Amino acid sequence: MVRLIRDTWAKSEPFIPEISQFFYGMLFTLAPATRDFFPINMEVQRGRLVRALVHIVQMVDRPDDLVPFLTQLGRDHRKFGVIPRHYEAVGTALLAALKNHLGPDWTPEVERAWAEAFTIVARAMQEAAAADVNPASWSATVLEHRRLTWDLALVRVQPEYPVPYQPGQYMSVEVPQRPRLWRYLSPANAPREDGGIEFHVRAVDGGWVSRAIVSHTQPGDVWRLGPPLGRLSVDRTDRRDVLMIAGGTGIAPLRAILDDLAQWGENPKVRLFYGGPSREDLYDLDELRALAATNPWLSVTPVVERGDEAPGCVQGTLAEAVTQHGSWPGHRILVSGSPTMIRATVSRMLVAGSALDQIAYDPFTID
């Protein structure tokens, strides 16, 4: 089944724009209500859902990764008001779009493989959604918006009810400036008694939501927050030391974990490599160094790619800096940052001898 899916997808991938257009046309015909799940400007959405669906279906032979991921995804999709017949419409539209462009390559065996895989995915998501007793989403009021650099902002929000997230998790966010354009952000603090959440947001090229948050968010804005997702965590009962690797705003979920660990007297030893192109990209370095100064279990190594004017920093990429120390045997390894940074770092560590089951990162980077 998986081989058939991957082979046919390889033939389909060059035609993503055409497949996507057919898919959405079919979906909105079968289930008109689903149009309200997406932004008004569908150009922003082009190809994302199709790529995400295929990404998930291709994981069907990796149940240890797929099942927890689908459980979280099913809970997350409650915020749209998704009901079982919407899953059926999505599956029908996806298969119809692929069939339309594959022609003779769409054999009965191929159709059966795709249908079986999508059924597995849809069933797991629906069961998770039905079992969730938490709200489908939370309203949160912006209390503070502060520019840390010209393209980076700290935003502090107050949810109407505490969001039950664990340190290291992330959640989807919808802001009033960009309705229906949900994006994933990671809290940079451990859960607090008052429920307040701090986000670090960098404006990226072509980032409709991130640029709106950095440039136009104001106190009093009301955001919507989806359910918490992700599996980055540190188990204090695990005797392994911890290696953390963060690039840019990827420091946020790891900072939340450190914020939580700082409440305890005894913790595993944590070595944090925090990197970016230049010293100014390490916007949280002073705070992290202050945290390390009062918590002997934590040490911080700053890494910059351009290091001529960055005393005290290791020069190079995070992948280079980390693997200079070998394979880190006996460590739990957490990696957080851009998709490019995660791929480069994890690949380099595997070559250096680190075991894949040592390394944790949140792989779902498709919007």
Side-chain angles (χ1 to χ4, degrees), residues 5-250:
I5 288 171
R6 289 175 178 162
D7 288 348
T8 50
W9 176 245
K11 297 174 182 176
S12 304
E13 198 164 15
F15 306 103
I16 277 289
E18 294 84 358
I19 292 174
S20 298
Q21 186 174 2
F22 190 101
F23 167 81
Y24 286 115
M26 177 69 73
L27 176 62
F28 299 154
T29 299
L30 294 171
T34 61
R35 181 63 184 87
D36 292 336
F37 299 164
F38 302 97
I40 295 173
N41 182 359
M42 286 298 294
E43 289 299 314
V44 179
Q45 184 67 26
R46 183 180 295 278
R48 283 180 173 155
L49 181 56
V50 172
R51 289 184 184 277
L53 288 169
V54 173
H55 172 78
I56 294 166
V57 169
Q58 288 181 327
M59 293 170 63
V60 75
D61 62 335
R62 292 155 48 197
D64 290 346
D65 292 328
L66 182 63
V67 173
F69 175 63
L70 291 178
T71 298
Q72 294 185 343
L73 204 61
R75 292 200 300 260
D76 188 45
H77 276 63
R78 294 171 61 230
K79 71 194 178 200
F80 297 117
V82 174
I83 56 179
R85 61 185 174 86
H86 295 149
Y87 284 96
E88 182 179 349
V90 168
T92 301
L94 176 63
L95 268 62
L98 292 168
K99 179 179 181 179
N100 184 64
H101 285 80
L102 281 169
D105 288 322
W106 187 260
T107 65
E109 292 77 17
V110 169
E111 182 169 4
R112 190 179 306 114
W114 279 91
E116 289 179 0
F118 186 83
T119 299
I120 292 170
V121 168
R123 184 184 298 121
M125 291 179 64
Q126 290 178 71
E127 290 175 352
D132 195 352
V133 297
N134 289 308
S137 64
W138 289 258
S139 294
T141 302
V142 175
L143 301 182
E144 179 184 6
H145 174 272
R146 175 160 46 96
R147 293 291 263 278
L148 301 180
T149 65
W150 70 273
D151 65 344
L152 180 69
L154 180 152
V155 182
R156 188 163 54 89
V157 304
Q158 184 66 51
E160 54 179 339
Y161 305 107
V163 181
Y165 72 94
Q166 299 298 317
Q169 289 189 302
Y170 60 94
M171 58 191 68
S172 54
V173 172
E174 181 192 42
V175 301
Q177 293 83 2
R178 294 289 184 264
R180 305 184 197 171
L181 280 177
W182 292 81
R183 291 296 179 268
Y184 293 117
L185 299 177
S186 297
N189 61 282
R192 297 170 178 161
E193 289 187 9
D194 66 1
I197 301 175
E198 179 181 307
F199 294 108
H200 300 168
V201 185
R202 188 182 300 279
V204 298
D205 291 339
W208 285 46
V209 176
S210 64
R211 296 178 73 86
I213 291 175
V214 172
S215 300
H216 304 296
T217 293
Q218 297 181 3
D221 285 354
V222 177
W223 289 13
R224 285 179 67 200
L225 309 178
L229 309 167
R231 293 188 290 168
L232 285 182
S233 64
V234 170
D235 181 358
R236 294 184 58 253
T237 65
D238 190 333
R239 295 186 177 183
R240 289 181 296 174
D241 291 339
V242 179
L243 169 64
M244 295 184 174
I245 309 167
T249 53

